[in-house]
Amino acid sequence: MRRWLTASVLGYFLYGLFIYWYLFMTSDGALPQHLEGTPADPKTFMNGRELLLSEQYSKIKDFLFFVTAPFEWFLFLVMLITGLARKFQHWAEGTSRFFAVRTAIFWFWVSLVISTVSLPVEYISYYLSKSYHISTQTFPSWMKDQLIDFWTNYAIMVLIVGVLVFLIRKFHKRWWLAAWALSVPFSLFMMFLQPVVLDPLYNAFYPLKNKDLETKILEVAKRADIPAEHVYEVNMSEKTNSMNAYVTGIGSNSRIVLWDTTLEKLDEKEILFIMAHEMGHYVMKHIYIGIGGYLLLSFAGLFLVKQLMEWLISQRGKRLNIQSSGQLAAMPLFFLLIGVLSFASSPLTNAVSRMQEKSADMYAIEMTRDKESAVQTFQALSKSSLSRVNPPELVKQFRYTHPTMAERITYMDELVILENNK
């Protein structure tokens, strides 16, 4: 056990050193020379202090992302090799004869350990955002969100864990296929619930106060054949200075949502461009493409997890303190493998997402015919979030679901040039 713990800690430490070296020693975020002085150059729309803060904040934020991504996997591994997961299972089994109650008790202890150990890391991220004036959220409000996260995630995970263990025990060879089949309606159900049940737990949503702007947004939606009757505003200024807008939900629960920070910091033309961009996702059915991609990846992922779990238990089950994949104590291993595979596949999913975001940008230009507002919007988004317009390649591949701001501004600017040349 000591050897495994030592190797795990050393591997995690060396990984952190590599990420630090990559982000702070080798990547300077410099623009290619041909972009200097163009609208994509942050020196043209940020002052010296904003440039410095953007560089500092982005590096620290990226570092935290990479070092915390495997942190939960590490905790799961520690639970397994120290026998803590097996002990939680014994406690649950000694409490009740009902499987549902045992599952709830077992996952409560797992969730409590992970949340408690992770809380300082979460606080560092919150403190960082607060220090750089990205977050405006008070500490009590932040703690309230942490508690909501804990209980909502716990409720969902108890259901998932219970169903998984039941399927593994009932369909020993084909449980992964049954789990995949059930994950499809479950994911769609959660997407349907999110805008009306989950999101309001964190923020207040209400119809857009600016009715003139709402009318113009709905006119764009009508031209795009989007059946929207209202635009919603959310009071994000209580928590952040960043800006955002999105279309969420599916079916009758679909919503067009604007953060109030976006309404405060952008003019009407820029807001209409953002809204047209979001509508582009709807028109081009990106949500259904995303669901299709999820089906393929989850099919392959669950099959791989099943194979890896069986191999690890047969080869290292004694060291991991589990005898079969149908134990509650084996669930940390399942979610460890899911986390690793999800992280490994993120460059692929992010690349697809970036293609969709670019096509949504192009759709927004077709709808608004206002490239100047598009460029100004991207510049404003960079300033408000203190994000680098040209991040290092590793950061882009693993973190960016959108094209970088340099890419977005550049292809907008080139589009202007091409049209002028015509």
Side-chain angles (χ1 to χ4, degrees), residues 290-304:
I291 291 171
Y294 162 78
L295 292 177
L296 290 174
L297 283 176
S298 60
F299 182 88
L302 285 169
F303 175 76
L304 281 174

Side-chain angles (χ1 to χ4, degrees), residues 39-52:
D41 188 346
K43 293 177 183 177
T44 64
F45 59 89
M46 289 187 188
N47 60 39
R49 185 172 183 275
E50 289 170 335
L51 288 168
L52 178 63

Side-chain angles (χ1 to χ4, degrees), residues 135-328:
S135 173
T136 59
Q137 191 172 21
T138 63
F139 180 75
S141 173
W142 179 78
M143 279 301 302
K144 177 186 174 183
D145 282 355
Q146 295 298 305
L147 289 171
I148 293 172
D149 277 345
F150 176 85
W151 288 112
T152 53
N153 290 336
Y154 169 71
I156 293 169
M157 290 302 296
V158 166
L159 176 62
I160 292 173
V161 169
V163 171
L164 273 172
V165 173
F166 171 78
L167 293 176
I168 292 171
R169 292 176 179 178
K170 187 172 180 62
F171 308 104
H172 183 67
K173 295 294 183 182
R174 295 286 184 268
W175 66 262
W176 64 275
L177 190 59
W180 174 77
L182 286 177
S183 72
V184 178
F186 177 76
S187 299
L188 293 175
F189 180 67
M190 293 303 296
M191 291 171 65
F192 185 79
L193 282 186
Q194 182 159 346
V196 293
V197 176
L198 298 180
D199 290 347
L201 293 175
Y202 297 88
N203 296 96
F205 290 77
Y206 39 84
L208 186 61
K209 297 174 184 176
N210 187 335
K211 294 304 177 184
D212 289 338
L213 178 60
E214 182 181 44
T215 299
K216 292 178 181 178
I217 292 172
L218 292 177
E219 284 175 357
V220 177
K222 184 178 180 180
R223 287 164 50 201
D225 293 324
I226 297 175
E229 296 181 0
H230 299 288
V231 178
Y232 289 86
E233 183 178 341
V234 56
N235 62 332
M236 287 301 297
S237 57
E238 295 180 357
K239 297 182 178 181
T240 183
N241 283 316
S242 295
M243 298 182 286
N244 198 12
Y246 56 91
V247 178
T248 185
I250 57 174
S252 60
N253 277 8
S254 296
R255 282 186 173 184
I256 301 173
V257 180
L258 272 166
W259 287 11
D260 59 349
T261 50
T262 305
L263 294 166
E264 292 167 7
K265 296 181 179 182
L266 298 183
D267 64 30
E268 186 176 280
K269 290 182 178 180
E270 292 164 350
I271 291 171
L272 288 174
F273 171 80
I274 289 179
M275 287 289 91
H277 168 97
E278 297 303 328
M279 293 172 192
H281 289 303
Y282 180 93
V283 171
M284 290 179 278
K285 305 189 185 308
H286 287 164
I287 187 170
Y288 299 107
I289 295 172
I291 291 171
Y294 162 78
L295 292 177
L296 290 174
L297 283 176
S298 60
F299 182 88
L302 285 169
F303 175 76
L304 281 174
V305 167
K306 188 257 186 187
Q307 302 301 321
L308 289 170
M309 281 187 74
E310 289 186 351
W311 181 79
L312 285 169
I313 291 171
S314 66
Q315 299 295 315
R316 294 290 184 268
K318 185 177 180 180
R319 187 69 66 194
L320 296 172
N321 295 288
I322 47 180
Q323 287 79 45
S324 72
S325 55
Q327 293 179 275
L328 283 170

Side-chain angles (χ1 to χ4, degrees), residues 377-398:
T377 299
F378 296 145
Q379 292 173 339
L381 288 169
S382 294
K383 289 181 66 172
S384 70
S385 60
L386 291 180
S387 59
R388 283 187 287 187
V389 299
N390 189 43
E393 188 63 25
L394 195 64
V395 174
K396 173 185 170 181
Q397 295 302 322
F398 279 91

Side-chain angles (χ1 to χ4, degrees), residues 1-41:
M1 182 181 72
R2 285 195 298 269
R3 286 199 302 270
W4 275 54
L5 278 174
T6 301
S8 301
V9 172
L10 181 61
Y12 191 30
F13 178 73
L14 291 175
Y15 166 78
L17 279 181
F18 167 76
I19 295 299
Y20 181 88
W21 169 80
Y22 178 78
L23 293 175
F24 290 91
M25 310 288 286
T26 66
S27 61
D28 57 7
L31 278 177
Q33 190 172 4
H34 70 278
L35 293 180
E36 292 180 2
T38 69
D41 188 346

